[in-house]
C-alpha cells in the first residue's frame, strides 16, 4: 500500500544561481518518497513527502547541502519578510565592501596613462595596507561564496560560488605571493604594478551590487499580492448588543455582525444583512465598475465600500477568505515550474563544469601556446570565470512566470500553475458552456402576450401570484417581471406539477401555468399565436378557469461581451464550440447571435468529457464553464477555464479561473500566456547570448576582470528587469 503524500512549502536561503536550485532539487529527489520542485527566483521549494518523512527531515537535507530553509508562511504584512531582511543585509555588506574597495580601486585607476599625476595617499600605496583591506573583503564579506563553493564541491557539483571563489582567489593569492616574496616594487611612477588586490575586492563588490539589484527587482514580482494585503484593514467595527466597537481583524469570528461605513475596506468575507451600497471589487477581480450590494449579497475581504452603510455577517475569516485563496493560487503558480524551464535546468546542470574547462584551456593556451605573461594569462582566466555566471539563465523563466501570473491576478485571471500559464497560448479550440458562460444564467421574460379578451394587469398579477411559491428559475423570472409593475403576494393554495408547471387557486380562480402538455391534460385549448417569436426561447402557457389567457416567452440573456469575445478568438484563428445540455434549437439560436462555429447540444454533464476528448483528437482544447456542472469537461480539457466570482469551487477545479464573469478575460488569458512565453524566450536568448559572446571575448583577453564582473551583474539584473515589464502590460 502506497503512503499518503503531503505537500510542504519552504523558503530557501543561500541559493546564488541555477546550479544551486538544481542541486537542492536533485538532492531532495534522491530521497525515498520525495518529489521536489525548487524555484530560484522566488527562493522557495514545493516538496511532496510521504508520511514516513517530516518537514524537519527535508530541512536537514537542505542544510546538509549547504543552504537553509524554513516553512513558508503565506504573504502576511504582519510577519517579517525574510527577503527584506536579506536585502538589508546585502546592502550593509555592499557598503562595507565598497568603502574598503575604493582605496584599492583608486590605485588601479592611477595605472592608466590619462590619470597620471592623480594624487594617491601614501598609505594607499602600502602593499600591507592593500593586503589588509582586500582580506576583509575576500574572507569576511566574501565568506558566503567560500561557504557555498565548499558545500557545492563536497556534494560533487559546482555553482556560481565556485567560479567566484576561483576567480577572486587567483587574483588575491597571487598578490599575497608577490608581497610575501618581496617582489612588490615601486615603479618609476610610484605605483605597485605587480599587485592585484583591487581585482579581487572590486569583483566581490560588483557581484554584491548585482545581487542586491537582483534581489530588489525580484521583490517587485510579488507587488500584486502586496497590494491586496495592504488593502485589507487591520481593524473591524463589530456590533454587539447595539454597541459598535473596533477589534483586530484577526479576532473576528464567523457569525460576528460587522458595520462597514462608506469608504471603508471590508475586513472579511461576509453576507449583507441590511443596507444598500456599491462595492469596489477591482483589486480582487480586475473589474473596474462597482458592484451593487443589497441584503443577501456576498462581500469579500479587501474590497472597498463606496457609498451607503452596510451591516454584514462574517462568513469566512483568515485563510478561508476569497482573498487568501487567490493569494495561495498565485503563490502556487509562481512557485511551480513551466515546461520550458526544463531546457534551462539541463543547461545549468552542466554549465559550471564546462566553464571551468574553458577557463583552464584559456590559461594553458594564453600562457603556453601564445606565450603571454603569467599575469596576462591569469587575468584572462579570471575574466572567463567571472563573466560566465549561470544566474541569468536560472532567472529567465521563473521571473517571467512570477511577473506574468502576478499581473494576470491583478486583471482577475488566476493561472493555477506555471504550466497552465505557458500552455494556454497553444489552444486552437475553445469550448463554451452556454448557461452562465455565454449567457448570464438568469432567465428573463422577453414576451408576455395576454389575449385581448382579458385584462392584461389582472392576468399578469394572477400568473405571478401563482408562480410566487415556486422555486423554479423560470417562475422567478415571471415574478420579477410582474414586480416591476406592482407588489406580488404568494398564492395560499399552490401545487407543483413536477416537470410540467404549477396549479394554484387565487380569489376562487383556478390558475394553471406550465407547458403545453399541462394545459392539454386539463383539456384547455391554446389560442392561435401567429407572430409570436418563439425562436430560442422557453414558452410557458397560462390559463385561468379553463381558458388560455397568456403565453410567456422566457430566455437567458446573452452576455454583453459574448459577441466581441468570439470575434476576438476568431481573429486569433481559434475555433469556437458551444457544448450544452439545452435543446438544439435554443443552442443554435444563441450560437448564431454570437457567431460560434459549432454547436453540440442535448449533452448531459457526464457526457461532456467525452465530447472534449473527441475534439482533442484534432488539437489543443480549452473548456470554459462554471466549474461545477462542467467539472468533468474542465478536467478533461487541455486547459480548463472556470467562470465565477471567486467563491466557486472553480478555483480548485480549473487550470485558469476568471474571477469576474467577463468573457473578455478569456481572450486576455490567452494573450497573457502568449506575452509571458515570449518574455521567457527573450530572457533565455539574452542569458545564453551573454555567455556565448562574453566568454570568447574574456578568453581573448579583451575584457578586464572587473569589467567581466560588471557584465555578469548586468546580465542577471537585465533579465529580471525585462521580466518585470510584464507587470505594466495593458490589454
Amino acid at each position: 500500500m502506497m503512503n499518503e503524500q503531503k505537500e510542504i512549502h519552504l523558503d530557501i536561503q543561500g541559493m546564488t544561481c541555477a546550479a544551486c536550485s538544481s542541486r537542492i532539487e536533485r538532492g531532495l529527489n534522491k530521497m525515498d518518497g520525495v518529489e521536489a520542485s525548487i524555484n530560484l527566483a522566488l527562493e522557495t521549494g514545493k516538496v511532496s513527502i510521504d508520511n514516513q518523512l517530516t518537514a524537519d527531515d527535508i530541512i536537514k537535507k537542505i542544510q546538509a547541502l549547504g543552504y537553509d530553509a524554513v516553512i513558508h508562511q503565506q504573504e502576511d504584512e504582519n510577519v517579517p519578510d525574510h527577503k527584506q531582511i536579506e536585502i538589508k543585509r546585502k546592502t550593509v555588506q555592499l557598503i562595507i565592501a565598497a568603502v574598503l574597495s575604493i582605496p584599492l580601486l583608486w590605485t588601479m585607476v592611477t595605472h592608466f596613462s590619462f590619470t597620471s599625476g592623480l594624487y594617491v595617499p601614501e598609505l594607499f600605496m602600502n602593499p600591507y595596507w592593500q593586503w589588509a583591506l582586500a582580506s576583509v573583503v575576500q574572507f569576511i564579506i566574501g565568506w558566503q561564496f567560500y561557504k557555498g563553493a565548499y558545500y557545492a564541491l563536497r556534494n560533487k557539483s559546482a555553482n556560481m560560488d565556485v567560479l567566484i571563489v576561483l576567480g577572486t582567489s587567483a587574483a588575491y593569492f597571487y598578490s599575497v605571493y608577490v608581497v610575501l616574496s618581496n617582489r612588490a616594487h615601486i615603479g618609476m611612477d610610484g605605483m605597485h604594478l605587480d599587485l592585484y588586490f583591487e581585482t579581487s575586492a572590486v569583483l566581490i563588490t560588483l557581484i554584491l551590487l548585482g545581487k542586491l539589484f537582483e534581489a530588489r527587482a525580484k521583490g517587485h514580482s510579488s507587488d500584486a499580492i502586496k497590494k491586496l494585503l495592504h488593502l485589507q484593514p487591520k481593524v473591524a467595527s463589530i456590533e454587539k448588543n447595539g454597541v459598535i466597537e473596533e477589534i483586530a481583524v484577526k479576532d473576528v469570528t464567523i457569525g460576528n455582525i460587522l458595520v462597514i461605513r462608506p469608504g471603508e475596506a471590508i475586513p472579511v468575507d461576509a453576507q449583507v444583512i441590511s443596507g444598500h451600497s456599491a462595492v469596489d471589487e477591482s483589486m480582487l477581480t480586475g473589474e473596474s465598475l462597482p458592484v451593487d450590494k443589497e441584503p443577501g449579497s456576498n462581500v469579500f475581504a479587501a474590497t472597498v465600500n463606496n457609498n451607503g452603510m452596510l451591516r454584514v455577517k462574517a462568513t469566512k475569516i483568515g485563510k478561508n477568505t476569497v482573498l487568501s485563496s487567490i493569494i495561495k493560487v498565485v503563490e502556487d503558480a509562481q512557485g511551480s515550474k513551466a515546461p520550458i524551464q526544463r531546457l534551462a535546468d539541463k543547461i545549468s546542470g552542466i554549465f559550471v563544469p564546462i566553464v571551468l574547462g574553458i577557463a583552464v584551456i584559456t590559461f594553458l593556451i594564453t600562457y603556453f601556446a601564445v606565450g603571454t605573461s603569467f599575469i596576462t594569462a591569469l587575468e584572462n582566466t579570471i575574466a572567463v570565470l567571472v563573466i560566465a555566471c549561470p544566474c541569468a539563465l536560472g532567472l529567465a523563466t521563473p521571473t517571467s512566470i512570477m511577473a506574468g501570473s502576478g499581473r494576470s491576478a491583478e486583471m482577475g485571471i488566476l493561472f493555477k500553475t506555471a504550466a497552465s500559464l505557458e500552455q494556454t497560448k497553444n489552444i486552437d479550440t475553445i469550448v463554451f458552456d452556454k448557461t452562465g458562460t455565454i449567457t448570464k444564467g438568469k432567465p428573463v421574460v422577453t414576451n408576455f402576450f395576454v389575449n385581448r379578451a382579458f385584462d392584461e394587469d389582472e392576468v399578469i398579477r394572477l400568473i405571478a401570484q401563482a408562480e410566487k411559491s415556486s422555486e423554479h428559475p423560470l417562475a422567478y423570472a415571471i415574478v420579477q417581471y410582474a414586480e416591476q409593475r406592482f407588489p406580488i403576494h404568494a398564492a395560499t393554495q399552490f401545487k407543483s406539477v413536477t416537470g410540467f408547471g404549477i396549479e394554484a387557486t387565487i380569489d376562487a380562480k383556478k390558475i394553471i401555468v406550465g407547458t403545453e402538455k399541462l394545459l392539454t391534460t386539463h383539456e384547455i385549448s391554446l389560442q392561435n399565436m401567429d407572430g409570436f417569436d418563439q425562436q430560442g426561447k422557453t414558452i410557458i402557457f397560462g390559463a385561468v378557469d379553463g381558458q388560455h389567457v397568456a403565453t410567456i416567452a422566457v430566455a437567458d440573456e446573452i452576455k454583453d461581451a459574448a459577441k466581441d469575445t468570439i470575434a476576438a478568438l476568431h481573429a486569433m484563428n481559434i475555433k469556437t464550440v458551444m457544448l450544452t445540455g439545452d435543446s438544439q434549437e435554443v443552442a443554435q439560436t444563441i450560437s448564431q447571435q454570437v457567431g460560434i462555429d459549432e454547436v453540440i447540444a442535448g449533452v448531459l454533464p457526464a457526457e461532456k468529457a467525452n465530447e472534449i476528448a473527441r475534439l482533442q483528437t484534432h488539437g489543443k482544447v480549452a473548456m470554459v464553464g462554471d466549474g461545477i456542472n462542467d467539472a468533468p469537461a474542465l478536467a478533461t480539457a487541455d486547459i480548463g477555464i472556470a467562470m465565477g466570482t471567486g467563491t466557486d469551487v472553480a478555483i480548485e477545479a480549473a487550470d485558469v479561473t476568471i474571477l469576474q464573469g467577463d468573457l473578455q478575460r478569456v481572450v486576455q488569458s490567452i494573450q497573457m500566456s502568449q506575452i509571458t512565453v515570449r518574455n521567457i524566450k527573450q530572457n533565455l536568448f539574452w542569458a545564453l547570448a551573454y555567455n556565448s559572446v562574453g566568454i570568447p571575448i574574456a578568453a581573448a583577453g579583451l575584457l578586464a576582470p572587473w569589467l567581466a564582473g560588471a557584465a555578469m551583474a548586468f546580465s542577471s539584473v537585465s533579465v529580471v528587469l525585462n521580466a518585470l515589464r510584464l507587470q505594466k502590460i495593458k490589454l
Side-chain angles (χ1 to χ4, degrees):
M1 183 177 177
M2 295 183 64
N3 291 315
E4 185 179 348
Q5 292 288 113
K6 56 184 178 181
E7 195 171 83
I8 59 174
H9 295 259
L10 301 171
D11 289 326
I12 301 173
Q13 302 169 16
M15 293 189 295
T16 56
C17 67
C20 296
S21 56
S22 296
R23 183 165 73 255
I24 296 173
E25 196 169 282
R26 287 197 305 270
L28 292 177
N29 286 332
K30 287 179 181 178
M31 299 173 67
D32 291 336
V34 174
E35 184 176 341
S37 176
I38 308 301
N39 188 303
L40 171 65
L42 273 177
E43 297 179 337
T44 59
K46 184 165 64 175
V47 187
S48 295
I49 59 176
D50 59 33
N51 288 328
Q52 295 179 340
L53 294 171
T54 65
D56 286 341
D57 295 326
I58 301 301
I59 291 174
K60 287 177 182 177
K61 177 63 175 178
I62 292 173
Q63 290 172 337
L65 292 170
Y67 307 91
D68 201 4
V70 295
I71 298 295
H72 173 73
Q73 299 292 326
Q74 192 179 70
E75 289 277 3
D76 188 341
E77 61 180 5
N78 297 316
V79 176
D81 187 346
H82 77 273
K83 292 182 180 178
Q84 292 301 318
I85 295 173
E86 183 66 14
I87 287 175
K88 290 179 180 178
R89 188 181 69 84
K90 281 185 168 72
T91 302
V92 172
Q93 289 180 335
L94 174 63
I95 292 172
I96 295 173
V99 169
L100 296 176
S101 298
I102 286 173
L104 300 174
L105 183 62
W106 198 331
T107 63
M108 182 188 75
V109 170
T110 59
H111 290 188
F112 303 121
S113 59
F114 61 84
T115 60
S116 60
L118 181 68
Y119 171 73
V120 181
E122 186 176 345
L123 180 63
F124 289 6
M125 302 306 302
N126 187 305
Y128 293 97
W129 171 251
Q130 293 186 21
W131 185 5
L133 294 179
S135 296
V136 174
V137 177
Q138 187 74 27
F139 298 112
I140 297 180
I141 304 299
W143 179 249
Q144 56 190 303
F145 302 120
Y146 281 94
K147 179 183 176 183
Y150 165 74
Y151 279 105
L153 295 173
R154 193 183 75 171
N155 288 283
K156 299 178 182 179
S157 63
N159 63 355
M160 167 193 161
D161 293 329
V162 173
L163 298 179
I164 293 172
V165 165
L166 285 176
T168 60
S169 294
Y172 175 84
F173 285 111
Y174 174 78
S175 300
V176 171
Y177 165 74
V178 171
V179 172
L180 294 180
S181 63
N182 294 318
R183 289 182 58 217
H185 65 274
I186 299 178
M188 298 273 307
D189 54 359
M191 305 302 166
H192 291 271
L193 300 177
D194 292 344
L195 299 182
Y196 290 85
F197 286 122
E198 78 282 348
T199 298
S200 64
V202 170
L203 278 177
I204 289 176
T205 302
L206 286 172
I207 291 165
L208 290 174
L209 177 63
K211 284 295 175 187
L212 179 60
F213 283 158
E214 181 184 305
R216 287 182 177 276
K218 286 193 294 186
H220 290 299
S221 60
S222 59
D223 280 352
I225 292 175
K226 291 175 181 176
K227 287 178 183 176
L228 291 173
L229 288 171
H230 292 158
L231 189 62
Q232 188 172 23
K234 296 182 177 65
V235 296
S237 298
I238 186 171
E239 181 181 293
K240 289 184 178 179
N241 301 320
V243 178
I244 299 175
E245 59 180 90
E246 288 192 347
I247 64 171
V249 170
K250 62 183 179 62
D251 295 328
V252 175
T253 59
I254 293 176
N256 282 161
I257 304 302
L258 306 176
V259 175
I260 316 297
R261 301 177 183 87
E264 289 184 344
I266 296 168
V268 297
D269 288 5
Q271 187 175 62
V272 177
I273 297 174
S274 64
H276 292 77
S277 183
V279 174
D280 181 358
E281 297 183 347
S282 58
M283 285 300 295
L284 196 63
T285 66
E287 180 61 48
S288 59
L289 294 177
V291 180
D292 291 332
K293 301 294 181 180
E294 58 186 17
S297 299
N298 292 319
V299 292
F300 309 106
T303 59
V304 179
N305 181 24
N306 280 354
N307 48 47
M309 183 177 291
L310 295 174
R311 289 177 68 250
V312 302
K313 184 177 182 179
T315 55
K316 292 182 180 179
I317 59 175
K319 294 183 178 180
N320 294 321
T321 64
V322 170
L323 173 67
S324 294
S325 66
I326 289 172
I327 291 173
K328 184 179 184 302
V329 171
V330 176
E331 286 184 334
D332 287 346
Q334 292 181 341
S336 62
K337 282 192 176 183
I340 197 172
Q341 193 171 341
R342 294 170 188 163
L343 172 63
D345 288 345
K346 288 180 180 179
I347 296 174
S348 299
I350 60 173
F351 187 80
V352 175
I354 290 175
V355 170
L356 292 174
I358 293 173
V360 171
I361 293 172
T362 297
F363 180 83
L364 294 176
I365 292 176
T366 307
Y367 186 60
F368 292 105
V370 179
T372 61
S373 66
F374 175 82
I375 293 302
T376 300
L378 182 64
E379 285 185 342
N380 293 352
T381 303
I382 292 172
V384 170
L385 290 170
V386 173
I387 199 172
C389 171
C391 293
L393 189 61
L395 292 169
T397 300
T399 49
S400 294
I401 293 294
M402 290 161 63
S405 59
R407 177 59 183 140
S408 297
E410 288 181 326
M411 297 165 61
I413 303 167
L414 293 185
F415 288 95
K416 192 172 183 180
T417 64
S420 62
L421 177 55
E422 178 189 340
Q423 294 170 358
T424 298
K425 74 174 183 61
N426 298 324
I427 295 302
D428 52 36
T429 301
I430 293 189
V431 180
F432 292 91
D433 175 45
K434 181 181 74 70
T435 306
T437 303
I438 294 295
T439 65
K440 294 180 179 179
K442 294 181 179 179
V444 294
V445 173
T446 59
N447 304 87
F448 204 122
F449 179 86
V450 178
N451 291 348
R452 293 189 181 93
F454 300 90
D455 180 77
E456 182 175 325
D457 284 351
E458 177 68 7
V459 168
I460 293 174
R461 182 183 65 81
L462 289 172
I463 290 177
Q465 279 188 262
E467 291 281 25
K468 181 77 170 180
S469 298
S470 174
E471 296 180 355
H472 196 283
L474 299 181
Y476 180 76
I478 292 172
V479 173
Q480 287 287 98
Y481 176 83
E483 285 182 337
Q484 294 175 9
R485 296 182 173 221
F486 28 67
I488 298 298
H489 304 287
T492 54
Q493 296 181 11
F494 169 87
K495 183 178 75 171
S496 174
V497 183
T498 304
F500 296 97
I502 60 97
E503 298 176 5
T505 301
I506 303 171
D507 300 334
K509 293 183 173 65
K510 180 72 173 180
I511 313 299
I512 299 174
V513 185
T515 63
E516 179 180 353
K517 186 174 182 180
L518 179 62
L519 268 67
T520 54
T521 300
H522 286 78
E523 298 181 349
I524 300 173
S525 59
L526 301 181
Q527 299 296 315
N528 185 3
M529 299 303 298
D530 290 340
F532 191 82
D533 180 15
Q534 300 184 19
Q535 189 177 28
K537 300 175 183 178
T538 300
I539 306 303
I540 301 170
F541 301 94
V544 176
D545 290 337
Q547 288 184 288
H548 174 212
V549 297
T551 304
I552 308 153
V554 179
D556 191 356
E557 288 186 311
I558 296 171
K559 287 184 177 180
D560 297 335
K563 189 172 183 178
D564 290 340
T565 298
I566 300 303
L569 292 173
H570 288 163
M572 300 166 72
N573 294 319
I574 295 175
K575 178 183 177 181
T576 56
V577 179
M578 180 187 290
L579 183 62
T580 179
D582 212 334
S583 68
Q584 181 71 35
E585 181 186 9
V586 172
Q588 198 67 45
T589 300
I590 297 294
S591 69
Q592 288 173 356
Q593 291 177 8
V594 299
I596 286 178
D597 298 320
E598 181 182 345
V599 173
I600 304 173
V603 182
L604 296 175
E607 298 171 347
K608 288 185 177 181
N610 296 332
E611 294 293 339
I612 295 293
R614 180 182 64 79
L615 291 169
Q616 284 175 316
T617 60
H618 303 291
K620 298 291 184 182
V621 178
M623 171 68 190
V624 184
D626 62 15
I628 301 175
N629 296 331
D630 300 310
L634 286 168
T636 303
D638 296 288
I639 295 293
I641 303 176
M643 308 292 289
T645 62
T647 60
D648 207 320
V649 294
I651 289 179
E652 295 298 329
D655 301 297
V656 184
T657 298
I658 309 299
L659 294 182
Q660 198 74 5
D662 185 353
L663 276 174
Q664 290 180 329
R665 304 289 189 214
V666 175
V667 177
Q668 291 174 350
S669 67
I670 298 172
Q671 292 172 331
M672 281 303 300
S673 175
Q674 294 171 337
I675 293 169
T676 301
V677 172
R678 183 163 65 243
N679 191 272
I680 290 173
K681 291 179 178 179
Q682 290 170 353
N683 283 348
L684 288 172
F685 170 80
W686 287 112
L688 291 170
Y690 275 123
N691 291 302
S692 300
V693 175
I695 291 176
I697 292 175
L702 302 176
L703 203 61
W706 70 273
L707 282 174
M712 181 271 288
F714 177 75
S715 68
S716 297
V717 174
S718 62
V719 162
V720 175
L721 291 177
N722 183 54
L724 292 180
R725 290 191 306 111
L726 291 172
Q727 293 187 328
K728 306 297 182 182
I729 292 294
K730 293 183 180 180
L731 299 176

